[in-house]
Every structure is written in C-alpha cells, then in structure tokens.
Amino acid sequence: MAVRPRRAAVAVDVGGVLVGGNYPIVVQSMTNTDTADVTGTVNQVMALAQAGSELVRVTVNTEAAAEAVPKIVRTLNMFGVRVPIVGDFHYNGHLLLKKYPECARALAKYRINPGNVNIGKKHDDNFRTMIEAAVEYKRPVRIGVNWGSLDAQLLTRMMDENSRLPEPKDAREVTIDAIVVSALESAAAAEHHGLSRNRIILSAKVSGVQDLIDVYRQLAAKCDYALHLGLTEAGLGAKGIVATTAALSVLLQEGVGDTIRASLTPLPNGDRTEEVIVSQQILQSLGIRSFTPQVTACPGCGRTTSTFFQDMADQIQNYLRDQMPTWKDRHFGVENMKVAVMGCIVNGPGESKHANLGISLPGTFEEPVAPVYVDGRLVKTLRGDHIVAEFIGMVNQYVESHYVAVEAETAAV
C-alpha cells in the first residue's frame, strides 16, 4: 500500500530548515550532555549532525546552560556545523529567556511544555513571557504536551465533566482528549499573545504505541499546525526501536507528521546517534525519504555456516554510511542505491539481480566463488582473500559512473 499524501500543514522555518508544508519530513535528535559543558555538548551536536540530525535540541534548565548556548552555537559555526539548535525549557524558561537575551537569540526554536508552565492558571505570565520572547526574536515554538506532565487542572476538569455525561468515556479516552485539548488551547493562547501560526509546531507525546496513534489522529484532524512525532520514553534497545517504529510508521503511512524523533534510551556510554539512524531508517523503509544506500542481506541458515557474509554485509553497510557525507555533496541521488550481500546460492543470485550491485557469496559446500551482478547483469566473479576490497572498489566505480555530479545537476537546474 502506498503512503498516503501528507496532511496539509502550515510550514515553519526553524533556522533555515523548513518543517511542514510540502517540505521533506525532518529528522531531529537531542543531546544528553550537561549543556553547561560547552565542549561535550558541541562534540555531541557535531556527532548527531554528522549522523544526519537536521535539528538538535539541548536542555536549557539553568543559568549556566543559558550562558553556554551562545558559545555552543558560535563554536559549531566555527567548525562549519550549521544545524539549528533548539532550546528545551521547563519550569523556568520564562526567567532564562528574559535574563539571557543572547541565549534567546542564539536558539533557532524554543520548546515549551504547557504542563510545566503556569498556562491555564489564573495568571499565565510564565507562558506569555516565553511566547513574547519568541515574538520579539522571531523564533518558532514547539508546544510539546507530554502525558507524564499533563496539566493537572485541565485533566481534572475534563474528568469531572466526563463523569456527568450520560455515557462517560473511560479514563484512557479522557486523558487522550485532554492531551489534544492542552495542545490546541496552548496554541490558541500563543496566537493570542502574538505568535503567528507559521511559528507554531505541536507535539503530543505518550509512551504507548496505540495511545500515540490515537492522540495524533485526533490532533491531525483538528488543526493544520505542523506536527512533531515521537514516542516518548520509548525505552532501551530492541524494545525502544520496535515500539517507535510501530507507532511512527502507522502515522507516517497515513500522512501524519512533519518532523520526527526516536526517543531511545542509550546504553551506558552508548552511541546517541543510534536514534538518528532509526528515524532515517523508518522514513527510508517506508519509501518517504532516502538517506543512505541500503544493504540487503540474508539472515543466514545451515547453508551459511561461515560468518564471512555477515562480516562483509556489516563492513559494506558501515562503509556506505561513512561515505555518505562525502558522496551526498558530490553525487546526486546516490542515497537511493541498493546493494545486496547474500550468503548462498538459494536466494543470492536473485536478490543480487534486484539490487544495483549484488554479490552472492558461496555457502557451505558451494564452489568458492562470488558472482557480482550490476543492474541485474552478471559482470564479474570474485574469488580469493580480497573479495571485500574488490567489491568496495566496484561500488565506488558504480557511484562515480552512475550518479551525476552535484555540480552538473545544479547547472542543469
């Protein structure tokens, strides 16, 4: 089934990255460093940007963090890293944005959680102050509702109203309704305080897959704001990856979502960039965007007792990803290339023929040769101890000969 057309949303300019409208769905991530640690934060932002994060959010929770933000942005610019930096504010954002105007100017966007400011109270000065800063510095705002910090007053009010209905909804339904209402009422308040619609992005994050799908279906049906998708607190390892993929894929398939994040819990000293790769892979697997050439590899069976094909598939995938920062600046469309690394004769030749380049390695008891197919045609048979290096050489030749130089493509336009 084809992906449905994107839901129409107002486009938002986030530091030169366009979110919503007909623009590509944007991948973003967030640092987990102490923002006051300028060197550590810069290094992590650079790693996330190198991995393909198109927006990077940092925590701004203390005066030291607010003071560090302009230094972080200046340092990134010195290194030629132009990724927009988003400030994540809770509880004291109104104080920090007012006291540290250089921080407010350096950030490309502010993230406000309405459950953690006093919106909805008798005096909503904190929320208003943050919105006024966004208006003054011409910055967009993501109003990010999270059911872990949902406005308690709003939820209580809606629960009370629900209890008086002839046929009350269950608590889950009322909570989902309250999340959507919180987002929409907060957006309306932001507009009331002077923030234009093309500077508002909404998110409504929960940690359950079916809950997330229901929340965003409601939200998408009731507004045309750009929407940020993410399963909050997705979790560790396979659980977090699978849950995030399950939730986001359903919504993206339905045309809902303008920017996404995979909120994975990294292992101690784990690689933060994994969440960027997961987000990219979700979009690429659905055929929505392409980021890097894809490797098809068989899972292995009794015919493939050697682990050589597994090692080769891993080496090729890593090589392709490592080359992309260079290739994407030189070769138009290379991210769409497909490579197959197969482990025996059963499906090896067939899969190899379906790829742009494919190699079918010998399985157990098969003749120790590896036929290579280019665009469905057998062009060479490799053998010996240098198969990986020779195949990588063929990949490089294919890229150079089949993908137009970026300069030529630009000139043609």
Side-chain angles (χ1 to χ4, degrees), residues 299-310 343-344 362-366:
C301 67
R303 291 175 176 269
T304 56
T305 52
S306 168
T307 61
F308 181 74
F309 86 95
Q310 297 166 314
C344 80
T364 307
F365 306 124
E366 292 176 17

Side-chain angles (χ1 to χ4, degrees), residues 100 109 145 147 177 275 349:
Y100 296 95
K109 184 180 73 171
V145 181
W147 75 346
D177 290 346
E275 65 177 47

Side-chain angles (χ1 to χ4, degrees), residues 30-31 35 41 45 56-60 69 72 85-88 107:
M30 184 176 184
T31 60
T35 306
T41 302
V45 170
V56 177
R57 186 158 43 114
V58 301
T59 297
V60 188
V69 165
I72 290 166
I85 302 300
V86 178
D88 191 62
L107 293 168

